[in-house]
């Protein structure tokens, strides 16, 4: 056969893309294929060729062409091949062979060969072509699956190159359209999928191809029926797999979710195709089929589980164990369904299989529970308490899965299941209490009362006790009793039990400490008591945290309709407060025991300080006491928690104040005695404060401390300091006096240039009538006090005013004193008003004290012509013989002349007062 192909382009890289179908070849052994390639030469004018001339070589070409015939084509090369050397399908480049050796390089030519054989009269030729094509495809698929199984791999749906070639040749021979090829592939794959194991994604491509090429008129009735049958068959098979998804797609296999998702996508895509809608029934829908399959499969799975777990010997205990295992399997199945399978179904087919399975399984479990639950009055009910408790917890866990339902379903079969277990509840609560108590008792028995670590200063038994309380809290959470009133009573019982265990622990741990302590070693006993205090303190923290750990706030909200806030507070919180108060008493009792072990030593050292020689430095006498406290408190500081250590310090501080107060109450003449006590008090104050690490200053400065410090400071003062303090006190009292005994008016000023104190006595008013005639003869005596500050100043007096109760004096007195003398604390002008008596001693009208520190001119110089000196009206008062602490202290120092003289003068003044006679 001869065929001519032209390219039509001026190029040296022609692309023909022509298909040549040759005739049949009878003798392939002697047959050849030959292809010649020519350069088509059109007739051109010399003028046009001269226009293309560029060099000498081009001119030679023109002369050569001129010698040829017009329109003669050029030979480029040829390809000559023997047919028997060709493969069925050949695709390669061939070299063009020249006729002469002048130009050996002629280029290459790209050829594709496809050899087919003549139709044979076999059995396959009697069937429709697409059926034969499908049967061939099935054979290749089986072969591929078998090979991949033998290699331990999964077939990806692709057929090998030899199979592809055969199928392609068959389709070409039979002139099968792309649609019929796709139909044959779908029929083959969908049928094989139901018997052989391969990925469902292989079906997705073929069903998509059918949808893309679908035209109903292209199929005969027989083909339509076959396609519809394949749809129904695959749909039924796929739904049956979904019905058994727990077995077919186990989560133990890594690719189960992928396989399930692939199947669902194939079914969905198949049901959406035009071919399926036209050839198959639209009802029931795919979703309805899947929903019914899930329900049926759930029932079948539950029945298989129930039969598998059925006990050989029928009895209440065996039945409960069987039921417990069954419910556990149901929970596991639902949890895995929710976490894995449900997402796949919802995302693909919009079916919530978790909700379907949960509702079906809860109903089935409820029915099974009613059948196997022991009767309430059965004698073995108490013996089965532990099994019933485990079953209840498992059922509650199953029921709580309803929280994953998209919509609330009420009521559920297991909503009121707690009522079946109400009779067993008391035994469960008692079991929780006895278990916790036994564990605490064992923990105390083996507790060596040593700190757990440097940071954890309590011993091991408190950890066990806290764990017991945690377990009770976990029991409360696990019970999750639905009835609000009953739940409240359960919490009351738990709280009562924990408080009871708390009090019992205090007694047990103290007994344990006493047992471990060596009576001959007081230090060891104190160390054990430190651990006891820390344990009880840790326990108090645990008890106080119970409302949060047991979530009382949530319980109060839950029971608000049945339990009032007052009842809740009275029943639970008061019970807890009583337990905490009891623990506080226990802690204080143990701390007091620790303090008592130190009290005697502290008192002994304080008495030693008091009895020390006056010749010793007061700060030296305190050293033995400080060393004693350092040695005794060091361990307690390291092993007591800070709160309890401060409590111990508070008790010791109270004891110290008591001892020092008793010592200071003794009548001792020597100021050195009180100086030692005062030094001890101040050093102990610093010791117990410890630069902020011990007691706060507010805690140390109690009313007792303030009074004691003031007393010791007073008692330890020198005689002259006491006299100064006496006048300081009188000056303070002067400001609050009334004019019961009258008043005296004065003007006082200080002139710095002259170092002169000028005092003007203006008048006196409302004096008492001390004479028998109902009047008085008053005069005013002026003295600068204290005497040791103004030793050179003599007393001065005004004139006597006869028969006057409101005398007018207008007398001026000048005193030569320095600024320093006036600035001494207690420096004052003592104004004493007497009733003059010729025969007897003068009687006291009253006395007043003018502080020199307030006199104008002391702070700045004054001018006599400019400065106006204010008048000062001073109420008069009468001294008292008894009750003045400073006079008492001075009276104790009679051996000192200055003290004896001062007391004598003050008493003499007091005796001149008629108030003393009254």
């Amino acid at each position: 056969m001869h065929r001519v192909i032209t390219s039509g382009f001026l190029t040296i890289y022609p692309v023909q893309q022509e298909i040549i179908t040759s005739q049949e070849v009878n003798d392939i052994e002697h047959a050849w294929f030959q292809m010649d390639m020519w350069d088509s030469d059109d007739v051109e004018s010399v003028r046009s060729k001269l226009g293309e001339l560029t060099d000498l070589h081009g001119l030679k070409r023109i002369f050569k062409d001129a010698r040829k015939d017009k329109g003669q084509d050029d030979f480029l090369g040829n390809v000559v091949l023997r047919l028997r050397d060709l493969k069925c399908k050949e695709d390669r480049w061939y070299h063009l062979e020249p006729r002469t050796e002048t130009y050996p390089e002629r280029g290459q030519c790209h050829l594709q060969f496809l050899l087919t054989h003549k139709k044979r009269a076999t059995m396959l030729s009697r069937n429709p072509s697409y059926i034969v094509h499908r049967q061939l495809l099935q054979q290749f698929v089986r072969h591929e699956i078998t090979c991949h199984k033998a290699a331990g791999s999964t077939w990806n749906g692709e057929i090998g190159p030899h199979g592809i070639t055969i199928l392609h040749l068959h389709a070409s021979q039979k002139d099968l359209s792309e649609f019929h090829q796709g139909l044959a592939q779908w029929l083959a794959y969908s049928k094989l999928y139901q018997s052989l194991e391969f990925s469902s994604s292989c079906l997705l491509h073929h069903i998509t191809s059918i949808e893309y090429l679908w035209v109903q008129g292209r199929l005969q009735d027989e083909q339509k029926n076959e396609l519809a049958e394949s749809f129904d068959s695959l749909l039924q098979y796929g739904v049956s797999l979904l019905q058994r998804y727990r077995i077919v797609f186990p989560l133990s296999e890594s690719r189960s979710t992928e396989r399930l998702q692939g199947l669902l996508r194939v079914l969905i895509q198949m049901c959406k195709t035009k071919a399926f809608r036209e050839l198959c029934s639209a009802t029931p829908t795919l979703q309805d089929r899947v929903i019914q399959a899930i329900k049926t499969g759930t029932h079948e799975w539950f029945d298989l589980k129930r039969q598998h777990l059925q006990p050989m010997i029928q009895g209440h205990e065996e039945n409960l164990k069987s039921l417990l295992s069954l419910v556990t399997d149901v929970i596991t199945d639902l949890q895995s369904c929710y976490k894995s399978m449900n997402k796949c179904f919802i995302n693909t087919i919009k079916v919530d299989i978790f909700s379907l399975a949960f509702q079906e399984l809860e109903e089935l479990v409820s029915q099974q529970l009613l059948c196997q639950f022991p009767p309430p009055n059965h004698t073995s009910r108490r013996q089965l308490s532990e099994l019933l408790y485990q079953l209840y917890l498992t059922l509650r866990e199953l029921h709580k899965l309803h929280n994953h339902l998209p919509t609330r379903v009420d009521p559920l079969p297991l909503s009121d299941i707690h009522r079946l277990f109400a009779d067993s509840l008391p035994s469960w609560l008692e079991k929780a209490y006895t278990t916790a108590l036994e564990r605490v008792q064992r923990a105390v028995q083996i507790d060596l009362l040593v700190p757990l670590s440097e940071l954890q200063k309590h011993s091991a038994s408190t950890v066990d006790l806290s764990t017991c309380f945690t377990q009770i809290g976990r029991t409360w959470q696990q019970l999750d009793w639905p009835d609000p009133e009953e739940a409240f009573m359960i919490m009351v019982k738990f709280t009562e039990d924990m408080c009871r265990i708390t009090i019992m622990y205090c007694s047990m741990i103290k007994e344990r400490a006493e047992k471990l302590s060596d009576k001959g070693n007081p230090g060891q006993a104190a160390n054990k008591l430190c651990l006891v205090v820390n344990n009880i303190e840790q326990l108090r923290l645990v008890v106080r945290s119970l409302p949060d750990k047991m979530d009382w706030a949530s319980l109060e909200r839950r029971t608000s309709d049945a339990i009032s806030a007052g009842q809740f507070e009275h029943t639970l919180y008061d019970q807890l407060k009583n337990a905490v108060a009891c623990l506080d008493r226990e802690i204080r009792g143990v701390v007091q025991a620790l303090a008592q072990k130190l009290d005697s030593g502290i008192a002994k050292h304080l008495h030693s300080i008091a009895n020390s020689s006056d010749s010793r430095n007061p700060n030296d006498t305190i050293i033995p006491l400080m060393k004693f406290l350092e040695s005794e408190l060091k361990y307690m500081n390291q092993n007591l928690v800070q709160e309890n250590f401060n409590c111990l310090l508070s008790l010791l501080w109270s004891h110290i104040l008591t001892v020092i107060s008793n010592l200071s109450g003794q009548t001792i003449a020597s100021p050195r005695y009180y100086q030692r006590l005062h030094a001890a008090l101040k050093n102990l104050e610093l010791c117990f404060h410890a630069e902020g690490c011990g007691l706060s200053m507010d805690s140390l400065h109690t009313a007792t401390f303030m009074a004691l410090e003031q007393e010791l400071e007073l008692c330890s003062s020198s005689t002259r300091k006491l006299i100064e303090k006496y006048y300081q006190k009188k000056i303070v009292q002067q400001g609050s006096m009334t004019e019961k005994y009258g008043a005296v008016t004065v003007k006082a000023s200080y002139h710095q240039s002259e170092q002169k104190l000028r005092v003007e006595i203006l008048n006196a008013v409302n004096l008492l009538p001390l004479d028998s005639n109902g009047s008085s003869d008053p005069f005013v005596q002026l003295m600068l006090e204290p005497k040791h500050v103004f030793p050179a100043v003599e007393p001065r007096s005004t004139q006597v005013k006869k028969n006057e109760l409101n005398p007018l004096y207008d007398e001026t007195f000048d005193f030569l004193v320095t600024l320093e003398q006036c600035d001494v604390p207690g420096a004052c002008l003592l104004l004493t008003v007497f009733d003059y008596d010729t025969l007897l001693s003068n009687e006291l009208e009253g006395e007043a004290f003018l502080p020199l520190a307030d006199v104008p001119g002391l702070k700045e110089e004054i001018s006599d012509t400019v400065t106006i000196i204010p008048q000062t009206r001073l109420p008069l008062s009468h001294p008292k013989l008894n009750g003045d602490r400073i006079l008492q202290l001075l009276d104790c120092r009679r051996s000192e002349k200055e003290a004896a003289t001062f007391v004598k003068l003050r008493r003499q003044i007091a005796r001149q007062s008629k108030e003393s006679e009254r």
Side-chain angles (χ1 to χ4, degrees), residues 423-695:
D423 293 338
S424 301
L425 182 59
S427 63
W428 297 347
L429 302 183
E430 188 63 26
K431 178 68 174 177
Y433 167 72
T434 56
T435 302
L437 181 59
E438 290 172 0
R439 181 170 181 176
V440 170
Q441 290 172 340
R442 289 194 301 270
V444 172
Q445 289 173 1
I446 62 175
D447 195 349
L448 298 178
L449 285 177
V450 292
L452 291 176
S453 65
E454 293 183 2
L455 298 178
Q456 296 176 311
K457 298 182 179 181
H458 50 272
S459 63
S461 59
T462 53
V463 178
D464 290 289
L465 182 59
S466 179
T467 303
C468 290
F469 286 178
T470 302
Q471 183 58 46
I472 291 177
R474 188 177 296 112
T475 302
W476 159 256
Q477 294 174 353
Q478 290 174 341
L479 282 174
D480 191 21
W481 203 257
D483 186 88
E485 292 187 41
E486 294 177 359
F488 175 74
M489 296 310 300
I490 293 172
M491 179 57 74
V492 170
K493 178 67 167 62
F494 278 148
T495 305
E496 179 183 349
D497 290 343
M498 287 187 285
C499 292
R500 192 190 316 171
I501 292 174
T502 297
I503 304 306
M504 295 175 68
Y505 173 80
C506 294
S507 301
M508 289 187 290
I509 199 66
K510 287 192 293 185
E511 292 176 1
R512 179 65 178 169
E514 184 177 357
K515 183 178 179 181
L516 293 175
S517 300
D518 185 0
K519 295 183 179 180
N521 188 351
Q524 185 190 37
N527 295 344
K528 297 303 180 185
L529 287 179
C530 288
L531 265 298
V532 171
V533 171
N534 291 340
N535 285 3
I536 299 177
E537 174 64 28
Q538 180 66 19
L539 179 56
R540 185 178 67 160
L541 296 177
V542 172
V543 171
R544 293 177 66 178
S545 67
L546 287 180
D548 292 331
K549 290 185 176 180
M550 304 294 283
D551 197 8
W552 284 7
S554 176
L555 177 63
E556 187 172 6
R557 290 192 299 269
R558 204 174 127 207
T559 60
S560 57
D561 295 337
I563 308 296
S564 65
Q567 184 179 358
F568 198 95
E569 179 78 20
H570 176 72
T571 307
L572 285 179
Y573 283 98
D574 285 357
Q575 193 175 36
L576 195 66
K577 290 177 183 177
N578 293 334
V580 173
C582 183
L583 291 175
D584 291 338
R585 289 193 298 270
E586 291 286 348
I587 291 174
R588 190 166 186 83
V590 179
V591 172
Q592 285 177 344
L594 283 171
Q596 289 172 1
K597 293 180 180 297
L598 301 178
D599 285 348
S600 59
I602 293 174
K604 178 181 177 182
H605 282 83
L606 287 174
H607 280 86
S608 176
I609 293 170
N611 297 328
S612 297
S613 172
D614 289 347
S615 61
R616 294 185 62 186
N617 189 327
N619 288 325
D620 293 339
T621 61
I622 195 69
I623 293 177
L625 174 59
M626 302 306 293
K627 289 183 177 181
F628 169 78
L629 289 176
E630 182 181 4
S631 63
E632 293 295 330
L633 294 179
K634 182 177 180 181
Y635 178 84
M636 296 182 185
N637 184 30
Q638 292 176 348
N639 292 277
L640 280 177
V641 296
Q642 189 64 41
E643 183 177 356
N644 293 330
F645 182 69
N646 289 345
C647 180
L648 174 64
L649 293 181
S650 297
L651 293 174
L652 294 177
W653 183 247
S654 299
H655 175 69
I656 288 171
L657 295 180
T658 301
V659 174
I660 296 179
S661 296
N662 294 335
L663 292 173
S664 66
Q666 300 179 15
T667 304
I668 304 295
S670 172
R672 302 285 288 179
Y673 173 84
Y674 296 102
Q675 289 174 5
R676 291 192 297 273
L677 293 180
H678 187 253
L681 181 65
K682 297 305 290 183
N683 279 279
L684 289 171
E685 177 191 13
L686 295 175
C687 173
F688 277 57
H689 180 60
E691 298 180 348
C693 298
L695 296 178

Side-chain angles (χ1 to χ4, degrees), residues 902-917:
F902 181 82
V903 173
K904 181 180 179 181
L905 290 175
R906 293 309 299 168
R907 285 183 175 176
Q908 183 180 351
I909 294 294
R911 282 195 295 268
Q912 291 176 299
S913 171
K914 286 193 175 182
E915 281 290 312
S916 61
E917 298 177 0

Side-chain angles (χ1 to χ4, degrees), residues 1 31-38 75-83 85-86 90 92-99 106-113:
M1 183 186 71
W32 290 80
F33 170 81
Q34 180 174 343
M35 182 194 73
D36 296 336
M37 185 172 293
W38 298 82
F75 178 76
L76 297 178
N78 64 1
V79 176
V80 180
L81 301 172
R82 183 178 294 180
L83 291 184
D85 296 335
L86 296 177
E90 192 80 35
R92 53 176 292 190
W93 288 85
Y94 295 91
H95 289 281
L96 293 175
E97 299 296 333
R99 286 181 179 177
R106 295 287 179 159
Q108 292 179 317
C109 179
H110 185 198
L111 300 176
Q112 293 180 346
F113 293 96

